[in-house]
Amino acid sequence: MAPLVTKLEINIYYDIVVKYQPNRRLHMEIHTGSCRCGDIEFCFYNDPINSIFCYCRECQALTGSDKWFGLWVARDNFEFTKGAPSTYTRAGNSGKDVNYKFCGTCSTALCAEVTAGNFYSVSATSLKNNKFNPKMSIYASFAPPWAIFPVDVPKFDALPPGLRG
């Protein structure tokens, strides 16, 4: 019978929570994900800061679709637990780097490290159990004409006023 929690999960929990965030110990939830082939695995702690559909041209190119479903996770709450992803870097609208992390074997896009915001936009579809729904649609003005927007999700042509640089 496999253990309910692996030694690696215990070590991650101890390193992240017990040493650095002891007041969050009892309320921590761990979300795990991986690429399609399983070479790369990751986890993040607690719920994301935000969950978005992004229709910018870069996300369309990344996904080969009309949008990216991203979960914004604080950089300190995210880590790769197996393998080392490949990276593609581009300058974001802020002029700071956006580092795309993907599997070099199966090409699954896992996340984008948004250095200007100090967070990762994690691919919701790469989670083992995705319980999240989008809270907003951003860069909607770049969506292709055939894109269908969720009715109950706020839509912004670029970023909402509180998120603009």
Side-chain angles (χ1 to χ4, degrees):
M1 179 178 212
L4 294 176
V5 179
T6 66
K7 184 176 180 182
L8 175 62
E9 288 170 325
I10 292 169
N11 288 339
I12 291 168
Y13 179 83
Y14 179 80
D15 287 344
I16 302 274
V17 180
V18 176
K19 282 184 185 176
Y20 305 110
Q21 300 174 12
N23 58 332
R24 294 172 65 180
R25 263 184 248 168
L26 298 177
H27 304 290
M28 177 164 293
E29 187 173 2
I30 298 174
H31 305 280
T32 60
S34 68
C35 63
R36 181 69 182 113
C37 73
D39 282 357
I40 310 291
E41 294 180 357
F42 65 86
C43 69
F44 66 88
Y45 306 92
N46 297 321
D47 285 346
I49 302 163
N50 200 359
S51 53
I52 55 94
F53 278 162
C54 182
Y55 293 86
C56 76
R57 300 263 191 255
E58 289 81 8
C59 285
Q60 290 177 44
L62 178 71
T63 62
S65 183
D66 63 333
K67 66 185 163 298
W68 165 265
F69 184 10
L71 306 173
W72 293 357
V73 176
R75 201 159 126 196
D76 292 342
N77 288 353
F78 178 89
E79 72 177 283
F80 288 100
T81 56
K82 178 183 173 189
S86 296
T87 303
Y88 164 72
T89 301
R90 71 166 179 90
N93 292 344
S94 67
K96 294 189 176 184
D97 286 346
V98 177
N99 303 307
Y100 295 95
K101 307 291 185 175
F102 62 96
C103 176
T105 303
C106 68
S107 302
T108 302
L110 300 167
C111 64
E113 179 187 14
V114 182
T115 60
N118 202 30
F119 67 86
Y120 285 92
S121 181
V122 178
S123 168
T125 57
S126 64
L127 290 179
K128 295 203 186 307
N129 295 303
N130 180 21
K131 68 174 191 171
F132 303 104
N133 294 309
K135 294 180 181 173
M136 66 176 64
S137 294
I138 60 174
Y139 294 103
S141 63
F142 294 97
W146 47 264
I148 298 172
F149 295 95
V151 176
D152 296 335
V153 176
K155 180 172 73 168
F156 300 93
D157 283 342
L159 291 172
L163 295 179
R164 292 183 191 145

